[in-house]
Amino acid sequence: MVDARLMRNGNEAGRETASRADSGDVAIAVSDATVEFGEGDDAVVALSDVSIDFLSGDFVTIIGPSGCGKSTLLRLVADLVAPSTGSVRVFGKPPEEARLAREFAFVFQDATLLPWRSALENVRLPLEVGKGRALEQEAAPKDLLRLVRLEGRENALPHELSGGMRQRVSIARALVCRPKILLMDEPFGALDEITRDNLNQELLRIWRETGTTILFVTHSIPEAAFLGRRTLVLSAHPGRVLDYFAIDLPEDRKLGIRDSVEFVEITGRLRQLLEKAA
């Protein structure tokens, strides 16, 4: 049975509770949230009556048909979009307070690095803007480049790095203020398959080493199953919670697990849900 802390508006059966998050605190609480863009006949409802909790330290992948509100959900948490009705709390605070406290960071599909700054200078950028923070709340940029395995490329400019390397810099930059939550909107969607596989493994390693809560939007069913400790499936037009369940795979995953019977069964279930969601 699904934990009531995790989902409070669904009636679907067969949900399990992820072992890593069983005793965790709620990091993000979304309550009866609806997001509507425009007015009158031109109004579009992106999300409708979404109520869901994300637990601290979890890795949640988010899938659904195009236009179902996946990115809108991330922006709702990030204080980039306000709910038309309902509420959002990040560690018990409004998203605006969490944003000002730098409790979350965003990674987009495009690395959005400043082309005239080196990798190290791009990682350092968040420390140079906004309100100052205590030194103990910041991570050393060089250490973060080492974490994403870019040691030796500190002085490289973005055009001297591959697409995968640029995304590694983007992840390091997102982590420099030690956010408790990492919001990732299809960060590997534009990369080739081999690079994407490598970064999937690297991201899992970084997640284990940092303990950061991650919400990860993807259109890839295998990526959702491989990365997620839990997967949220949204239905389309408007976006609603269709299912939210634990991925029953070992925590320390290698790419070879994708050939296992268990993995094939999980991706099959996700595919069926997406067909239902469309």
Side-chain angles (χ1 to χ4, degrees):
M1 181 179 298
V2 67
D3 190 327
R5 295 172 301 172
L6 300 176
M7 180 175 177
R8 291 166 280 123
N9 71 335
N11 56 8
E12 297 84 359
R15 298 187 187 88
E16 306 84 5
T17 302
S19 58
R20 179 183 175 97
D22 277 348
S23 59
D25 295 327
V26 173
I28 303 163
V30 182
S31 301
D32 301 317
T34 293
V35 176
E36 184 174 330
F37 298 110
E39 298 180 357
D41 294 339
D42 296 327
V44 175
V45 179
L47 293 173
S48 179
D49 298 321
V50 172
S51 292
I52 193 163
D53 291 346
F54 300 105
L55 299 186
S56 182
D58 216 351
F59 194 133
V60 178
T61 51
I62 303 172
I63 63 173
S66 295
C68 72
K70 300 183 295 295
S71 296
T72 299
L73 180 58
L74 292 193
R75 284 159 171 74
L76 194 64
V77 174
D79 193 38
L80 298 176
V81 172
S84 304
T85 61
S87 66
V88 180
R89 289 291 181 271
V90 180
F91 296 109
K93 301 184 290 292
E96 181 182 13
E97 290 186 21
R99 173 176 56 80
L100 293 174
R102 297 190 179 188
E103 293 192 336
F104 54 75
F106 219 119
V107 179
F108 298 93
Q109 184 172 345
D110 190 318
T112 61
L113 303 180
L114 297 180
W116 60 87
R117 294 180 67 118
S118 68
L120 184 63
E121 290 168 338
N122 267 289
V123 174
R124 186 183 293 126
L125 182 62
L127 304 180
E128 301 172 4
V129 298
K131 296 181 178 180
R133 304 189 71 192
L135 289 177
E136 62 269 16
Q137 293 178 286
E138 301 170 352
K142 282 189 177 181
D143 290 341
L144 288 173
L145 285 176
R146 189 176 305 112
L147 178 69
V148 299
R149 297 186 174 175
L150 281 178
E151 58 271 25
R153 304 307 302 272
E154 293 88 351
N155 296 321
L157 294 172
H159 76 271
E160 298 173 320
L161 300 172
S162 68
M165 288 178 176
R166 289 194 293 271
Q167 278 297 54
R168 289 171 189 254
V169 175
S170 179
I171 292 170
R173 180 181 59 190
L175 293 172
V176 75
C177 289
R178 297 188 188 275
K180 297 177 182 178
I181 299 169
L182 198 57
L183 306 171
M184 310 187 76
D185 194 358
E186 296 189 70
F188 308 144
L191 302 176
D192 66 85
E193 186 173 357
I194 298 301
T195 301
R196 188 170 186 157
D197 286 347
N198 289 336
L199 285 180
N200 279 177
Q201 293 186 102
E202 289 300 304
L203 183 59
L204 285 179
R205 176 183 60 82
I206 291 167
W207 171 69
R208 288 193 297 267
E209 292 183 17
T210 62
T212 307
T213 305
I214 297 180
L215 271 58
F216 186 102
V217 167
T218 180
H219 279 292
S220 168
I221 292 174
E223 185 170 63
F226 181 74
L227 289 176
R229 270 43 192 179
R230 195 180 303 277
T231 293
L232 170 63
V233 184
L234 295 178
S235 64
H237 313 302
R240 299 177 185 269
V241 175
L242 179 63
D243 210 337
Y244 188 36
F245 63 95
I247 300 294
D248 189 17
L249 293 172
E251 185 168 301
D252 186 13
R253 301 173 191 176
K254 306 300 180 185
L255 290 175
I257 202 170
R258 298 183 302 185
D259 297 322
S260 68
V261 173
E262 294 81 5
F263 190 87
V264 173
E265 289 176 346
I266 291 168
T267 56
R269 177 180 179 183
L270 291 176
R271 193 173 303 279
Q272 289 174 350
L273 286 168
L274 282 181
E275 291 173 355
K276 181 179 178 181

